[in-house]
């Protein structure tokens, strides 16, 4: 008589990933409102019979986009705007992060500078365009200054708040072990404040993007804001709306595909809580 064979335990199969389904749903929620807006726009223009100069049809704007593409003006203006934004953002990160972290680490410094910081927040960005043109003239330097100015205060404030959210016990333990200032900055203060810094980067870049467009209207001869201004001068409403669409869609893509995932991953790795929805 043979001994009964042992029954193998059932192997649980891992649940199927819903990557494709979730990606499709995310794309639908992302593009759905835009598609509905375009459809309502087309119906409104057809029903009103408005002339091109007042309210262009969707097809007119698409034709204007095609002309900007084929002529090379789109890439020239887009390249100028992205270059200025990148330089202004880099300067804001280099200058604002050490300053904001120092304010968060020192109650004396924050007590002295915080009123000035709050005062400057109300004036950041567009309000500085007249004096920026006086200081730097018309060109890249004035526009980059506006982008830096618009981002600097948001980054500084969020860096300060991020440092203040670091547990006091962690800071005391680092000091008791004899951690130097430079090591304290790189290993404790900067990583601890990073979730708040990334949030400040997301908010500040939005301010900088708006300041960029406004500054390019006044103080440059290239860029998306300049394209808007030139189209208004020649009553090209289709080009105006096309430029507005490029500005809006480009920022939406930057925010959803770059900044939001960066913020979410930073919070998951260094934040005090788990993953948060954006």
């Amino acid at each position: 008589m043979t001994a009964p064979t042992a029954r193998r335990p059932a192997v649980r199969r891992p649940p199927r990933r819903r990557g494709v389904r979730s990606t499709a749903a995310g794309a639908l929620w992302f593009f759905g409102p835009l598609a509905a807006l375009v459809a309502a726009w087309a119906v409104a223009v057809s029903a009103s019979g408005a002339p091109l100069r007042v309210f262009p049809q969707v097809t007119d704007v698409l034709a204007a986009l095609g002309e900007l593409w084929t002529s090379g003006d789109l890439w020239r203006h887009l390249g100028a705007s992205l270059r200025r934004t990148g330089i202004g953002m880099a300067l804001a990160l280099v200058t604002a992060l050490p300053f904001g972290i120092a304010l968060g680490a020192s109650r004396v410094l924050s007590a002295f500078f915080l009123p000035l910081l709050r005062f400057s927040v109300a004036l950041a960005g567009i309000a500085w365009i007249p004096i920026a043109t006086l200081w730097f003239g018309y060109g890249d330097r004035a526009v980059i200054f506006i982008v830096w100015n618009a981002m600097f205060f948001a980054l500084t404030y969020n860096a300060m708040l991020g440092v203040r959210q670091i547990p006091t016990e962690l800071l005391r333990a680092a000091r008791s072990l004899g951690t130097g200032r430079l090591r304290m900055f790189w290993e404790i203060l900067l990583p601890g404040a990073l979730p708040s810094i990334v949030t400040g980067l997301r908010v500040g870049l939005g301010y900088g993007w708006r300041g960029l467009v406004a500054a390019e209207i006044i103080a440059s001869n290239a860029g998306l804001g300049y394209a808007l201004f030139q189209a208004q001068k020649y009553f090209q409403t289709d080009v105006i709306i096309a430029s507005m669409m490029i500005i809006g869609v480009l920022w939406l893509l930057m925010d959803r595909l770059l900044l939001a995932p960066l913020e979410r991953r930073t919070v998951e790795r260094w934040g005090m809580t788990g993953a948060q929805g954006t």
Side-chain angles (χ1 to χ4, degrees):
M1 187 175 180
T2 59
T5 58
R7 182 178 297 178
R8 294 182 179 180
V11 178
R12 294 184 179 181
R13 296 181 179 179
R16 294 182 179 179
R17 297 181 179 179
R18 298 182 179 179
V20 177
R21 185 179 300 178
S22 62
T23 302
L28 180 62
W29 281 105
F30 184 82
F31 292 106
L34 297 178
L37 178 62
V38 171
W41 168 14
V43 172
V45 174
S46 299
S48 63
L52 172 63
R53 180 175 173 180
V54 177
F55 200 177
Q57 184 55 274
V58 177
T59 53
D60 299 323
V61 176
L62 293 177
L65 282 172
E67 292 179 4
L68 290 172
W69 181 291
T70 55
S71 66
D73 289 340
L74 174 61
W75 305 113
R76 180 170 66 90
H77 295 310
L78 186 60
S81 295
L82 291 178
R83 185 185 73 252
R84 293 162 180 162
T85 303
I87 296 174
M89 179 178 65
L91 292 174
L93 287 170
V94 170
T95 54
L97 294 189
F99 184 51
I101 290 174
L103 293 182
S106 173
R107 296 288 179 179
V108 176
L109 286 178
S110 63
F112 180 80
F113 283 105
L114 196 56
L116 297 176
L117 187 62
R118 289 172 177 169
F119 172 80
S120 300
V121 166
L123 300 175
I126 298 175
W128 283 83
I129 293 178
I131 199 168
T133 56
L134 292 176
W135 287 350
F136 303 104
Y138 292 87
D140 281 356
R141 291 189 297 173
V143 179
I144 291 171
F145 171 80
I146 294 301
V147 175
W148 168 84
N149 185 281
M151 295 187 62
F152 175 82
F153 299 102
L155 280 170
T156 299
Y157 198 75
N158 277 271
M160 180 188 68
L161 294 180
V163 172
R164 290 185 177 180
Q165 292 173 359
I166 299 175
T168 307
E169 295 79 7
L170 180 61
L171 298 176
R172 290 176 179 172
R175 294 191 186 101
S176 65
L177 293 174
T179 305
R181 292 184 178 180
L182 189 59
R183 190 175 180 184
M184 176 75 77
F185 175 86
W186 285 110
E187 297 185 8
I188 304 295
L189 299 180
L190 183 60
L194 201 55
S196 183
I197 290 172
V198 174
T199 301
L201 176 63
R202 188 178 181 185
V203 174
L205 192 55
Y207 294 155
W209 189 249
R210 291 196 292 268
L212 167 87
V213 174
E216 286 179 341
I217 291 175
I218 299 174
S220 72
N221 58 1
L224 297 174
Y226 176 79
L228 275 172
F229 179 72
Q230 289 298 106
Q232 183 269 340
K233 184 184 296 185
Y234 296 104
F235 302 101
Q236 297 174 318
T237 313
D238 52 346
V239 179
I240 293 175
I241 296 180
S243 301
M244 293 171 62
M245 290 177 61
I246 294 170
I247 292 169
V249 170
L250 184 60
W251 167 249
L252 194 59
L253 291 174
M254 290 172 58
D255 182 70
R256 300 301 299 176
L257 300 181
L258 178 63
L259 298 176
L262 177 63
E263 182 182 21
R264 182 170 57 251
R265 291 172 184 174
T266 304
V267 171
E268 289 177 359
R269 183 169 182 179
W270 284 288
M272 301 299 295
T273 60
Q276 295 177 359
T278 303

